[in-house]
Structures are given as structure tokens and as C-alpha cells.
Amino acid sequence: MERNDRFKRLEYWLKARIGKIAFIDIEEKRNKQWYGNGYGGFYVDPTVIPQNAIVYSFGIGEDISFDKDIIAKHNCQVFGFDPTPKSILWVNNNPVPEQFHFHPYGIGEKTGKVIFNLPKNKEHVSGSVYGHNLVDETNPVEVLLKEFKEIASEKEHTHIDVLKMDIEGSEYAVMEGILNSGVTIKQILVETHERFFNDGKEKGKRFFKLLKDKGYKIFAISDTYQEISLIK
């Protein structure tokens, strides 16, 4: 992990500890195991992931350590999605497992092209449809996003075993569509980005209430309070 990334994650952890985003807690104790590296990983409950599981991975960047881990341990099929030009280039130029199926578009509230802000630091990869202090709003690109229901329909999936999401603040906008899609999802792993918004804490509270109302319970939280794992 880059030195700057370590400092950023420490900063986020400290903010969580003073109450900025640490308003959630474990709701159900379950078996948990960290998949992926320290930067791109998440906790999962491996006991409910069958062989040949279906996994959706939204937000790839230049790190498929999570995807490689879950493929190696469960021989599953991972469908990866990322509209970021740098991510698309990275996937095209690097070897990936046979079970990793990449798609050069992202998830949105509805299907269509949107303006996407690239990171200010050219060494970084994560962009966002939202403006915040890590992106350059004067350097946008146009990318394709698709509604979740349409993505699952195209793949003919009515059940997903694990849905992993790191989409730089868009999680708050797309989750309701995911939960109302009719597709059953066993585990949802999400990196949250309350820090991007002035009303981030309120967004976060509404977000987790929505998940709870749909029967999901938090079973794992990373040390940074960013990577949250839920199960139904």
C-alpha cells in the first residue's frame, strides 16, 4: 500500500473514532474472514458462500485482490464493473482469473451516460460522479452507468451470493434500486463515503436503516469504519 494511502486510512479511522462516521455497530455475530489485501479487502462470512457462487464486484480500480481471494477459495464467478478509464486500461493490460468477468461500465440509479470526475492525483484511480476534494471537476469524462436491475437481467441472475461495492459515494443513490430489484442477495459488502458529503452522517443513517428494513444485519466492520459487511 502506498504511503499516502496509509495516511489517508489512518485519518479516516481517527475521524470514525471521534464520531464522524462511527454511528453503526455489529448487529449479528457470525463467522468472518478478510478477503483481499489491506487496501481493497472486505470481511465475508465464508460459511454461506457455495462453490460456484455468483459475485458482483462494483468498483475495481487497479486492485482485484478481493476478487482473486474469493475465486480461489470458492471457485466462484465474479462479475466486475468499473467505468473508470484507468481501471479499464489496467484490467485489459493485466492477467485476471478465468472466472473474473469484467464490464467497462458502472452502476447508477438509471441507465445512461454521466459526467465522471477523475482524481486530482494522477497516480490515483478512483473517480466519482460527485464533486469532492479528491477529484478534479475541471477534468471530467463521460462514462456509462447501468441500473442494477438491468445488469442482473442481462446476466439472467435472480440470485447473487455476494455483492461488493466501492463506488465512491454513489452507494447512497443506488442501494434502494438494488434492494427493490427482485434479485435476492445474501451478503452485501460496501465501502461507505460519508466523508464526501456535508450531510454524510445523515446519509449514512438513512442508508443503513434502508438495509436494516430489508432484513440485512451488520456482521463485520473494518478498523476504518469504511468497509461494512451485511448479511440477510
Side-chain angles (χ1 to χ4, degrees), residues 166-205:
D166 180 4
I167 54 175
E168 304 302 316
S170 292
E171 61 272 14
Y172 307 108
V174 303
M175 186 55 72
E176 185 171 1
I178 291 172
L179 297 176
N180 292 333
S181 66
V183 178
T184 60
I185 305 169
K186 183 62 177 177
Q187 296 187 61
I188 295 178
L189 322 176
V190 57
E191 179 173 323
T192 58
H193 298 83
E194 287 89 354
R195 61 194 182 277
F196 287 177
F197 305 95
N198 291 331
D199 63 342
K201 190 169 184 178
E202 289 69 32
K203 279 184 181 293
K205 287 182 175 180

Side-chain angles (χ1 to χ4, degrees), residues 62-78:
E62 296 178 325
D63 183 354
I64 60 169
S65 59
F66 170 85
D67 312 282
K68 285 182 174 180
D69 255 7
I70 202 166
I71 287 170
K73 293 172 181 175
H74 301 280
N75 193 33
C76 55
Q77 300 295 318
V78 176

Side-chain angles (χ1 to χ4, degrees), residues 24-71:
I24 55 174
D25 205 350
I26 301 297
E27 297 170 331
E28 182 172 316
K29 290 187 177 181
R30 300 186 67 95
N31 192 328
K32 68 177 183 180
Q33 185 175 339
W34 187 264
Y35 282 16
N37 60 27
Y39 178 75
F42 286 84
Y43 283 114
V44 301
D45 181 346
T47 66
V48 293
I49 303 176
Q51 292 291 303
N52 301 311
I54 299 297
V55 178
Y56 278 23
S57 183
F58 291 104
I60 298 301
E62 296 178 325
D63 183 354
I64 60 169
S65 59
F66 170 85
D67 312 282
K68 285 182 174 180
D69 255 7
I70 202 166
I71 287 170

Side-chain angles (χ1 to χ4, degrees), residues 41-215:
F42 286 84
Y43 283 114
V44 301
D45 181 346
T47 66
V48 293
I49 303 176
Q51 292 291 303
N52 301 311
I54 299 297
V55 178
Y56 278 23
S57 183
F58 291 104
I60 298 301
E62 296 178 325
D63 183 354
I64 60 169
S65 59
F66 170 85
D67 312 282
K68 285 182 174 180
D69 255 7
I70 202 166
I71 287 170
K73 293 172 181 175
H74 301 280
N75 193 33
C76 55
Q77 300 295 318
V78 176
F79 297 83
F81 307 86
D82 201 313
T84 312
K86 196 172 181 180
S87 179
I88 296 168
L89 182 65
W90 186 88
V91 172
N92 288 338
N93 290 332
N94 285 274
V96 299
E98 182 180 354
Q99 297 100 319
F100 181 78
H101 314 283
F102 181 72
H103 303 276
Y105 55 84
I107 183 172
E109 287 185 86
K110 59 183 180 179
T111 298
K113 292 187 175 181
V114 302
I115 297 299
F116 192 77
N117 300 305
L118 298 176
K120 289 178 181 177
N121 188 328
K122 304 305 179 186
E123 298 299 315
H124 295 171
V125 64
S126 299
S128 177
V129 298
Y130 298 101
H132 56 80
N133 62 359
L134 297 179
V135 297
D136 182 2
E137 294 181 69
T138 68
N139 184 30
V141 295
E142 191 176 64
V143 302
L144 176 63
L145 303 182
K146 290 190 178 184
E147 184 181 359
F148 176 79
K149 189 174 183 177
E150 180 176 333
I151 294 171
S153 177
E154 288 175 351
K155 302 286 179 290
E156 298 184 341
H157 292 151
T158 58
H159 173 78
I160 297 169
D161 296 285
V162 179
L163 187 152
K164 184 224 86 177
M165 182 182 299
D166 180 4
I167 54 175
E168 304 302 316
S170 292
E171 61 272 14
Y172 307 108
V174 303
M175 186 55 72
E176 185 171 1
I178 291 172
L179 297 176
N180 292 333
S181 66
V183 178
T184 60
I185 305 169
K186 183 62 177 177
Q187 296 187 61
I188 295 178
L189 322 176
V190 57
E191 179 173 323
T192 58
H193 298 83
E194 287 89 354
R195 61 194 182 277
F196 287 177
F197 305 95
N198 291 331
D199 63 342
K201 190 169 184 178
E202 289 69 32
K203 279 184 181 293
K205 287 182 175 180
R206 291 194 297 269
F207 180 77
F208 287 107
K209 183 180 185 304
L210 174 65
L211 284 157
K212 187 173 184 177
D213 289 347
K214 291 292 185 178

Side-chain angles (χ1 to χ4, degrees), residues 7-24:
F7 284 143
K8 282 195 298 181
R9 293 176 74 82
L10 177 59
E11 178 187 4
Y12 300 151
W13 183 84
L14 290 172
K15 286 180 178 179
R17 290 303 183 189
I18 63 173
K20 182 173 177 62
I21 59 175
F23 51 82
I24 55 174

